Amino acid sequence: MSSTAVAPPACLRRPLVVPRRFMFGPGPSNVPPRILEAGANPILGHMHPEIFEIMSDIKSGIQYLFQTKNSMTLALTGTGHTAMECAIFNAVEAGESVLTAVNGIWGERAADMAERIGAFRTLLAGLYCISDEIIKKKKKKEPVLFFLTHGESSTGVLHPLDGIGDLCHKYNCLFLVDSVASMGGAPLCMDKQGIDILYTGSQKVLNAPPGTAPISFSDRACQKIFNRKTKPVSFFLDLSWLANYWGCDGKPSRVYHHTGPISAFYSLRESLCILAEEGLENSWERHRKVAEYFHDGLENMGLKLFVTEKSARLPTVTTIVAPPGYDWKEITAYIMKTYNLEISGGLGPSVGLVLRVGLMGCNSSKANVDMVLTALKNALKHCHKSRV
């Protein structure tokens, strides 16, 4: 008689079957074979010298990707949300004020995280924030941190960054930028633009599996973080521990903090290698040209772009005004069933208003644009259109 009360699940007796699919939503994007193969390398111990060398390579790759010389540069175990929490939990203490620019869902999330640790948060709403508005808010609240999403994947907005870092520093405020949807696909230079904390995710333009989040902190940010009056609320995201694990603190030895995702490190290193081979400026230019080609094709079909100002359009994730009279869910379902191709609806404030198409990293090509345009044309022919 068995001593176990729960039987082995029948579903696990079947082999794993995963379909091949065109991942043209806002993320994750398709992972090239070269990166998949890198992730299949043998597992080593997370404190082995070979892994520390790989982590050092990753750090150098992130410094190139971010265009920064910050020594406090590493990759977190987790997705972009992890990096957002790491930045806020380390840089902000209870009772301090955070100013958040809301041009989509990610500003809302950042404000929520600040509130959870007892910080006062002020929202600066609107798709496109300007410096005068930021100045007025700063004079009222004197925030220690200003959060801005560079590439807002829920609305398709690319926010300008020039001058904001200098403005923040004038008021003794740290500048935090979310670049999950834009990094590698749109120009961004951390040091030149005065960004104090910058992070991204592995699953967008980098084309690596989700699960690692590159992040970097300026000396100004480190000075505030390492002179806190209280410990960060999260042990897992405590930068003093992470800095040691990643060899960023200058200490001769590393202390165990957590078991790093070894296979994910392999994949991330390979994705950074591919980007370095292409060249950052070449990647920016390719994404720009492909996005313009896509936007022209959409407008030639009679579809409207959600972001009307061309300079404010995110080149990696395009938001299309949901065609009047159609159910956007029927459109995305038809395209998935007919073409095995993912595009998505809106997120947060854009739910029901837009279709979102992401062409990032290896997916950013004119051939893929043509595939999406064909799928959309046929979807509009075959899906039901209301006469109301």
Side-chain angles (χ1 to χ4, degrees):
M1 184 177 178
S2 174
S3 60
T4 58
V6 179
C11 61
L12 295 183
R13 296 176 182 173
R14 300 191 298 269
L16 176 66
V17 178
V18 180
R20 293 189 178 276
R21 185 161 290 157
F22 296 105
M23 301 297 290
F24 297 163
S29 53
N30 289 105
V31 180
R34 179 173 161 183
I35 296 176
L36 289 173
E37 290 169 6
N41 274 294
I43 292 293
L44 297 177
H46 58 285
M47 301 290 282
H48 288 184
E50 295 88 349
I51 295 302
F52 289 159
E53 183 177 354
I54 289 171
M55 293 166 71
S56 178
D57 292 346
I58 290 171
K59 176 178 176 178
S60 296
I62 296 171
Q63 288 172 324
Y64 171 67
L65 175 66
F66 285 10
Q67 287 296 286
T68 183
K69 295 180 180 179
N70 293 335
S71 60
M72 194 62 64
T73 300
L74 55 134
L76 298 168
T77 301
T79 59
H81 277 89
T82 305
M84 186 186 287
E85 288 200 331
C86 180
I88 294 171
F89 288 0
N90 280 280
V92 181
E93 296 190 68
E96 293 182 327
S97 178
V98 175
L99 177 60
T100 304
V102 180
N103 49 20
I105 191 173
W106 306 117
E108 296 173 357
R109 292 277 171 95
D112 185 291
M113 291 176 187
E115 186 178 35
R116 287 169 184 263
I117 61 172
F120 298 100
R121 85 283 193 283
T122 302
L123 304 181
L124 183 62
L127 286 179
Y128 215 52
C129 305
I130 59 174
S131 296
D132 287 344
E133 292 176 310
I134 297 171
I135 290 173
K136 291 175 184 178
K137 292 288 185 180
K138 286 183 178 302
K139 286 182 177 178
K140 291 180 181 179
K141 295 294 182 180
E142 297 183 356
V144 299
L145 184 76
F146 174 50
F147 173 91
L148 177 66
T149 306
H150 182 225
E152 177 52 74
S153 60
S154 66
T155 56
V157 170
L158 180 71
H159 201 290
L161 299 175
D162 290 345
I164 298 178
D166 292 338
L167 180 63
C168 288
H169 302 155
K170 178 181 177 181
Y171 290 91
N172 197 30
C173 174
L174 297 177
F175 186 25
L176 165 60
V177 174
D178 176 316
S179 67
V180 172
S182 61
M183 180 56 68
L188 191 160
C189 298
M190 183 175 188
D191 291 354
K192 287 182 180 179
Q193 293 174 308
I195 300 169
D196 292 298
I197 309 174
L198 177 66
Y199 66 84
T200 191
S202 58
Q203 74 276 18
K204 307 275 188 174
V205 172
L206 288 175
N207 297 136
T212 52
I215 191 168
S216 183
F217 299 81
S218 71
D219 290 341
R220 183 183 286 102
C222 289
Q223 184 176 3
K224 183 182 189 310
I225 290 169
F226 295 131
N227 286 283
R228 293 173 57 100
K229 297 176 182 177
T230 59
K231 291 183 178 181
V233 295
S234 170
F235 173 82
F236 185 65
L237 298 177
D238 188 327
L239 188 59
S240 62
W241 283 89
L242 293 168
N244 177 261
Y245 180 47
W246 277 86
C248 298
D249 60 359
K251 295 181 179 179
S253 61
R254 306 192 195 193
V255 179
Y256 170 73
H257 174 246
H258 74 284
T259 303
I262 304 305
S263 296
F265 286 167
Y266 299 158
S267 298
L268 179 59
R269 184 195 181 281
E270 195 67 19
S271 70
L272 290 166
C273 180
I274 292 172
L275 181 74
E277 289 172 357
E278 178 180 13
L280 196 52
E281 291 176 310
N282 290 333
S283 180
W284 295 340
E285 182 67 7
R286 175 168 56 86
H287 283 82
R288 183 189 67 80
K289 288 182 177 179
V290 170
E292 289 179 354
Y293 179 73
F294 185 34
H295 298 165
D296 289 343
L298 290 168
E299 290 176 333
N300 289 336
M301 285 175 55
L303 294 173
K304 294 182 179 180
L305 293 163
F306 187 65
V307 182
T308 56
E309 188 174 338
K310 289 185 178 182
S311 63
R313 291 173 184 168
L314 180 60
T316 53
V317 179
T318 296
T319 44
I320 307 163
V321 174
Y326 289 92
D327 181 349
W328 68 267
K329 293 181 181 178
E330 185 182 0
I331 292 174
T332 58
Y334 173 86
I335 292 174
M336 176 70 79
K337 182 178 179 180
T338 307
Y339 295 93
N340 201 26
L341 187 158
E342 180 198 39
I343 65 171
S344 22
L347 179 67
S350 66
V351 168
L353 302 177
V354 302
L355 297 172
R356 294 185 297 156
V357 180
L359 295 171
M360 298 175 276
C362 65
N363 287 346
S364 180
S365 69
K366 290 185 177 180
N368 286 340
V369 167
D370 292 339
M371 190 188 312
V372 174
L373 292 175
T374 298
L376 283 169
K377 286 178 184 177
N378 288 329
L380 296 179
K381 288 180 182 177
H382 291 88
C383 293
H384 174 72
K385 183 178 181 180
S386 172
R387 295 182 179 178
V388 179

